[in-house]
Amino acid sequence: IVKMEKTLIKGVAKDNNVASISIVGLADKPGIAFKVFNCLAKNKINVDIILQSIGRNNTKDITFTVSQDNREDAVAVIEGLKESLNFKEVTYDECVSKVSIVGAGMQSNAGVAAKLFEALYNVGVNIQMISTSEIKISVLIDSKDEAAAVESIHDAFMA
């Protein structure tokens, strides 16, 4: 007999002190991500969600989130790397929110992510980034959609 761990979503959390930063046109070679995130770490800038694109024309894009308080410094640090890393551009967006479901048993129960994504789809919310761990699934969305997203997710998991 295999005992399944029950999915136990304990809550829905939101964070609107978030900014996403994208570095476009980085060389698709080893060490680039290290150089970027090492430089941010040396400047005491905490990074949360990280997304790296599939390479095209020997380049990649990296998008990551920081607190809005660190956005200006993070962009300045990245701009300082432009000459050495030879990327195309750096952009940012402060009109984003991170919404998360938190709980236990997510990895051992199929369909938790699908249920989260369905809840967002049901209220027309587009997902910009996704991050998962053993106890949390987070999505980055447009901040104007935060209230509808939280309500829909809460209804899907807590009702």
Side-chain angles (χ1 to χ4, degrees):
I1 296 174
V2 176
K3 193 170 184 178
M4 292 292 290
E5 183 181 1
K6 187 175 187 280
T7 305
L8 183 61
I9 303 302
K10 292 192 180 246
V12 181
K14 64 179 181 168
D15 180 0
N16 49 25
N17 180 24
V18 179
S20 66
I21 299 174
S22 297
I23 311 169
V24 180
L26 286 160
D28 186 8
K29 62 183 187 181
I32 299 297
F34 163 71
K35 289 174 185 172
V36 168
F37 293 105
N38 186 52
C39 203
L40 290 166
K42 284 182 177 177
N43 284 276
K44 299 187 179 1
I45 298 170
N46 290 326
V47 173
D48 187 15
I49 303 172
I50 302 171
L51 175 71
Q52 180 174 286
S53 70
I54 296 171
R56 287 183 178 72
N57 301 322
N58 296 318
T59 68
K60 289 194 183 232
D61 303 339
I62 294 178
T63 301
F64 58 94
T65 62
V66 297
S67 69
Q68 284 186 7
D69 308 336
N70 286 327
R71 195 270 311 150
E72 196 173 310
D73 291 340
V75 170
V77 166
I78 300 304
E79 287 286 5
L81 295 171
K82 189 164 187 174
E83 192 174 312
S84 65
L85 296 182
N86 195 32
F87 57 84
K88 183 179 173 187
E89 66 178 330
V90 61
T91 62
Y92 65 88
D93 184 354
E94 290 183 313
C95 295
V96 293
S97 293
K98 181 174 72 169
V99 177
S100 308
I101 54 172
V102 182
M106 291 191 208
Q107 288 186 320
S108 57
N109 285 275
V112 177
K115 189 173 184 177
L116 169 64
F117 303 152
E118 179 183 28
L120 295 172
Y121 165 74
N122 286 340
V123 289
V125 174
N126 191 44
I127 300 168
Q128 297 178 19
M129 296 174 75
I130 304 166
S131 175
T132 63
S133 74
E134 292 178 7
I135 61 163
K136 181 168 72 169
I137 302 174
S138 298
V139 293
L140 195 71
I141 61 172
D142 191 304
S143 58
K144 71 176 172 44
D145 296 328
E146 179 186 283
V150 169
E151 184 177 346
S152 182
I153 294 165
H154 186 271
D155 289 348
F157 287 97
M158 306 297 172

